[in-house]
Amino acid sequence: MRVPALIACLALAAPSAFAATVQLGIEIPRMDVSEYHRPYVAVWIEREDRSVAANLAVWYQNKDGKDAQSGKSEPGTKWLADLRQWWRRSGREQTLPIDGVSGATRPAGQHQLTFSDDKAPLAGLAAGKYRLVVEAAREVGGHELVGIAFEWPPQAPQHLSAQGEHELGAIRFDLNP
Amino acid sequence: MKATMKWSAFALAACLPMLASAHKAFLVPSTTVLSEGSDAWVTFDAAASNDLFNFNHRPLPLDNLVVTGPDGAKLSPQNVARGELRSSFDLHLEKPGTYRVALANSGLFANYVDAKGEKKRWRGTAEKLGEIPADAKNVEIAQSDSSNVSFVTLGKPSDGVLKPMGNGLELVPVTHPNDLYAGEAAKFRFLLDGKPAKDLKVTVLAGGTRYRSRQDEMALTTDANGEFSITWPAPGMYWLNAALEAQKPTVAKAKERRLGYTATFEVLPQ
């Protein structure tokens, strides 16, 4: 009775024994503004030379919008360049949507993302020093970029965090070997 | 005689567009970095003004506007209009890459005294020099080549339109002109008829001059390779200008050649 339970436990624990995982928490703050649009958000890992090692997430309006006055449809990709650092470092080289990375904009609140090094986009990330970058740009609102430096792969569990000031709230970055 | 010479030199200077005037000629785009996958339009204003980039003097003529796409093909501007204070036009970007938008003015300017003893001015091209009467006296011809340039990029920047053409004074970006960010250095190279323009004085001014008490001009000089580097102090739209006077003309009958190059660059925040 006890032995199979132990085996089951080992089986469940097995993936984490081989794969490093990261949990990313992104807070989009609630805004008290007359005109609110959900922010565009890009999350990526950059090398020390600021080149992009991995795109983790891109949240944008992936359906066409309609201009209220002219009725003319306007693709949401139009505003991707407002994520100006991401656009410069990676976006302009990409064809949207990016499979497994891009998705719709998200509402104010806490958002959790989990990645593991046996799957894209972390698979193959070479050992070294990196920076996690979270960039947010909101229509008729502001722009903010928050970064967290880290080393990969993690040798021990690490709980890193940073605090945005206006367009982003708390950013939590937990690394587990 | 001396007084006449002085006067004619002054008159010549006065009618040279973009060079001698205190007004700054500019070609300013509504945006320079656009995302792909959208119905991308950029609108441009062209004016000569005292303030950058406000319109307070006169529109620039768009007769010699040349728009080159990333593939080298020429594009037609749309909704071309000439206002009292500025000219404007729209550009539909349909292919990814970098576009070059240029107002290129090349021509000859002459002052002479006709058979009746009246002072006359003439403006034209080398082919039309015959329009100056054969019996004209005190003929003074100056050659002028100037351009006013702007770059915009849809999607991934390309460098096809950055290649020099080998004529006149031109800027060859070493740093891509749509990849400029505050606090970072950008490098450019000036060429005169395809060869490095060394010791050339370059002036760079940030827009918004109306809202500050000093011009805050940045004065730069090109090195032996015609190169210079600038670290952008703040985000914004910048005006860059270089001019050369008393150069050897390429048109036989001209006495001297003047050259000018102006560009507008957008510097983005980090």
Side-chain angles (χ1 to χ4, degrees):
Chain A
M1 189 69 189
R2 257 184 198 175
V3 175
L6 187 63
I7 290 168
C9 274
L10 281 171
L12 279 172
S16 68
F18 302 105
T21 59
V22 301
Q23 270 98 43
L24 178 61
I26 296 172
E27 182 189 10
I28 297 177
R30 214 163 290 282
M31 301 266 174
D32 186 16
V33 290
S34 58
E35 181 182 347
Y36 180 78
H37 301 274
R38 291 177 182 181
Y40 277 30
V41 175
V43 188
W44 71 98
I45 291 171
E46 70 178 19
R47 301 184 186 93
E48 285 186 294
D49 66 0
R50 302 194 72 179
S51 63
V52 174
N55 278 313
L56 301 186
V58 181
W59 301 337
Y60 71 110
Q61 185 200 314
N62 49 11
K63 286 182 198 146
D64 282 7
K66 214 171 211 177
D67 183 80
Q69 284 182 334
S70 65
K72 207 175 161 184
S73 91
E74 205 172 68
T77 50
K78 178 173 179 176
W79 309 108
L80 279 171
D82 286 356
L83 291 167
R84 56 193 183 230
Q85 281 300 321
W86 176 74
W87 184 252
R88 172 191 195 187
R89 307 287 176 192
S90 178
R92 66 193 190 188
E93 314 274 336
Q94 308 288 339
T95 305
L96 274 287
I98 308 170
D99 195 28
V101 173
S102 65
T105 54
R106 300 195 178 193
Q110 302 282 348
H111 301 279
Q112 306 293 329
L113 301 173
T114 303
F115 302 94
S116 125
D117 76 347
D118 58 358
K119 270 189 263 170
L122 288 189
L125 185 66
K129 288 182 177 174
Y130 295 96
R131 192 167 81 121
L132 170 83
V133 189
V134 183
E135 183 178 26
R138 183 167 53 91
E139 188 180 348
V140 300
H143 172 273
E144 187 164 28
L145 198 131
V146 173
I148 298 175
F150 69 97
E151 275 188 53
W152 187 261
Q155 302 304 319
Q158 278 187 290
H159 304 287
L160 307 172
S161 66
Q163 182 67 40
E165 289 174 5
H166 49 113
E167 296 301 330
L168 291 166
I171 307 297
R172 286 181 297 95
F173 194 42
D174 296 328
L175 298 105
N176 303 295
Chain B
M1 182 65 195
K2 224 172 190 179
T4 319
M5 286 280 286
K6 247 183 196 167
W7 183 88
S8 65
F10 174 77
L12 200 61
C15 61
L16 286 179
M18 300 185 196
L19 288 179
S21 166
H23 295 102
K24 294 178 178 71
F26 59 81
L27 182 61
V28 66
S30 55
T31 187
T32 58
V33 174
L34 294 97
S35 319
E36 234 187 292
S38 56
D39 185 27
W41 288 87
V42 180
T43 192
F44 290 81
D45 291 303
S49 248
N50 275 335
D51 294 324
L52 292 173
F53 292 94
N54 297 104
F55 317 116
N56 63 16
H57 181 50
R58 63 172 172 85
L60 289 186
L62 300 178
D63 311 318
N64 298 320
L65 175 67
V66 180
V67 182
T68 313
D71 54 1
K74 300 285 181 270
L75 277 85
S76 298
Q78 298 187 39
N79 305 319
V80 179
R82 185 188 169 101
E84 288 297 325
L85 297 174
R86 57 114 170 72
S87 309
S88 66
F89 58 92
D90 296 336
L91 200 60
H92 194 197
L93 311 184
E94 294 180 286
K95 290 177 183 167
T98 301
Y99 295 68
R100 182 180 186 269
V101 181
L103 285 170
N105 291 306
S106 281
L108 299 173
F109 295 82
N111 278 328
Y112 61 89
V113 177
D114 71 6
K116 292 176 195 162
E118 281 177 37
K119 282 174 181 161
K120 296 275 182 184
R121 288 176 186 177
W122 174 88
R123 188 180 166 172
T125 57
E127 292 76 43
K128 291 183 177 170
L129 270 172
E131 289 174 7
I132 298 174
D135 56 359
K137 286 175 191 150
N138 298 345
V139 180
E140 274 192 31
I141 302 167
Q143 181 185 0
S144 165
D145 296 297
S146 67
S147 57
N148 209 315
V149 182
S150 176
F151 299 96
V152 295
T153 295
L154 173 67
K156 191 178 174 180
S158 62
D159 54 14
V161 296
L162 308 184
K163 293 193 176 82
M165 282 169 272
N167 305 315
L169 196 56
E170 55 185 334
L171 184 81
V172 184
V174 178
T175 304
H176 195 284
N178 295 138
D179 207 10
L180 308 176
Y181 294 83
E184 293 184 12
K187 198 172 176 183
F188 301 98
R189 183 183 301 123
F190 259 110
L191 300 179
L192 174 58
D193 293 332
K195 294 186 188 104
K198 65 169 183 179
D199 301 327
L200 179 71
K201 300 223 177 317
V202 182
T203 302
V204 178
L205 258 169
T209 50
R210 186 195 280 181
Y211 310 112
R212 57 180 190 260
S213 304
R214 292 167 192 260
Q215 291 282 306
D216 292 336
E217 275 189 7
M218 290 176 272
L220 303 138
T221 307
T222 60
D223 65 13
N225 295 320
E227 292 180 352
F228 69 98
S229 166
I230 177 165
T231 301
W232 307 104
M237 205 63 90
Y238 285 80
W239 184 83
L240 179 148
N241 174 264
L244 281 173
E245 305 214 351
Q247 297 293 303
K248 203 175 162 243
T250 56
V251 174
K253 287 185 177 171
K255 192 180 165 197
E256 63 157 37
R257 185 185 185 198
R258 293 155 183 263
L259 301 112
Y261 180 96
T262 305
T264 307
F265 295 116
E266 187 177 27
V267 175
L268 297 176
Q270 287 289 339

